[in-house]
Amino acid sequence: MRDKIQDAFQQVRATEQMKRSVSDYLIQEMGKKKKRSGVVILKPVFAVLLLCFVLGGWYYWEKPVSYVSVDVNPSIELTLNGMNYVVRAESRNKDGERVLRHLQLKGKSYLKAVELLLESKALQRYLTDDADLTFTVASPREEELLSELKGSAATMQHHGTCVGADLDNVASAHSHGMSLGKYQIYQMLSQYDADFTAEECQHMTMCQLYQMLSWYESGQDSSEEENQSGSGCSHEGGHYHENHNHHHK
């Protein structure tokens, strides 16, 4: 009888050991599942972070920060990102379209883009001895960009003039269909002649515009301007003689 009771207790203890073993096993399995589920949860989180990183990098690269207009008669405007690389190269008149037609400037540093512009055959025809090549910069880093442009070999070779402009003028220039450089001189000429139009300004070379401004600033009378209009300037691409007569008052 005693042996039977001992056997029964041994069976009970064995059963409890089995229960503990099963319990330990289940706890381990649950821990594994939690780890696996954690990995599964992390995957979409990582994907979202990666997407944010990519979009943030793209936005930083494409975000316009600075503007450099290049004007002779072709008017071309370069939009730069925060690293001074070209994100857009746009023509602001028909002559500018012809120059940009076979050039790929996007993604290049702005100094390299300027060099390629000035070396292109399409722009070379406008860079005559009497051409007024003008670089106009609107940027939070205006001094830096102007200094680099003035010191570049391409600018010095063609005797380019480098001037700064207010960033607020960029939108106004574009609304008038002009580059920043031409718009800036258009504003100055408009102070002397309220009838001078943006369309007329568009058709004039920078040489003609500067010469016209010089006449006004020196106080020359209308007969002198009429007699000398366009003297010393190449008229290729411009139509100054066609429609400027009404400016003389």
Side-chain angles (χ1 to χ4, degrees), residues 200 222 226 229 240-249:
E200 288 174 302
S222 60
E226 181 67 33
S229 61
Y240 179 68
H241 286 297
E242 295 178 10
N243 51 21
H244 83 293
N245 293 341
H246 75 275
H247 299 306
H248 312 305
K249 298 182 179 179

Side-chain angles (χ1 to χ4, degrees), residues 11-13 18 41 44 54 65 82-83 96 104 106-107 110 127 129 133 145 153 158 167 173 188 191 232 243:
Q11 289 178 11
V12 170
R13 284 198 296 270
M18 290 175 61
I41 291 170
V54 171
V65 173
M83 295 181 288
Q104 177 54 258
K106 184 175 180 179
Y110 81 102
L127 297 175
D129 291 338
L133 172 63
L145 299 186
H158 297 285
L167 268 170
M188 290 187 280
Q191 293 176 4
N243 51 21

Side-chain angles (χ1 to χ4, degrees), residues 40-56:
V40 172
I41 291 170
L42 283 174
K43 284 182 180 179
V45 172
F46 177 76
V48 170
L49 290 174
L50 181 62
L51 180 62
C52 291
F53 177 78
V54 171
L55 290 176

Side-chain angles (χ1 to χ4, degrees), residues 53-156:
F53 177 78
V54 171
L55 290 176
W58 176 85
Y59 176 75
Y60 179 76
W61 179 265
E62 293 290 330
K63 182 183 178 183
V65 173
S66 307
Y67 300 85
V68 178
S69 77
V70 184
D71 295 281
V72 187
N73 181 57
S75 288
I76 294 163
E77 199 163 79
L78 306 177
T79 302
L80 316 182
N81 62 19
M83 295 181 288
N84 296 337
Y85 279 78
V86 177
V87 292
R88 280 197 299 276
E90 300 171 285
S91 62
R92 295 297 174 187
N93 59 14
K94 289 183 178 179
D95 290 332
E97 288 177 13
R98 286 191 283 269
V99 172
L100 284 182
R101 194 169 293 161
H102 303 295
L103 286 175
Q104 177 54 258
L105 304 180
K106 184 175 180 179
K108 293 178 171 57
S109 72
Y110 81 102
L111 286 176
K112 182 63 177 178
V114 167
E115 181 184 328
L116 290 172
L117 266 175
L118 299 185
E119 289 178 351
S120 68
K121 290 182 179 179
L123 190 60
Q124 282 287 322
R125 58 182 289 204
Y126 296 96
L127 297 175
T128 57
D129 291 338
D130 58 5
D132 272 298
L133 172 63
T134 304
F135 299 96
T136 307
V137 174
S139 170
R141 305 167 180 172
E142 180 183 303
E143 290 185 9
E144 173 194 336
L145 299 186
L146 285 174
S147 176
E148 291 176 347
L149 275 171
K150 289 175 183 176
S152 71
T155 302
M156 290 190 288

Side-chain angles (χ1 to χ4, degrees), residues 162-234:
C162 302
V163 296
D166 197 318
L167 268 170
D168 293 337
N169 284 341
V170 174
S172 298
H174 295 174
S175 69
H176 283 81
M178 282 191 278
S179 68
L180 188 60
K182 275 200 172 180
Y183 180 72
Q184 184 146 286
I185 195 168
Y186 165 70
Q187 283 184 306
M188 290 187 280
L189 287 168
S190 296
Q191 293 176 4
Y192 293 100
D193 186 351
D195 295 327
F196 184 56
T197 67
E199 183 179 0
E200 288 174 302
C201 185
Q202 272 283 48
H203 289 302
M204 294 170 66
T205 67
M206 292 303 285
C207 178
Q208 291 164 347
L209 290 169
Y210 280 126
Q211 193 172 77
M212 186 178 178
L213 182 62
S214 177
W215 288 326
Y216 280 126
E217 289 178 339
S218 64
Q220 289 181 324
D221 60 34
S222 60
S223 60
E224 274 189 282
E225 182 184 345
E226 181 67 33
N227 291 332
Q228 299 180 42
S229 61
S231 62
C233 289
S234 170

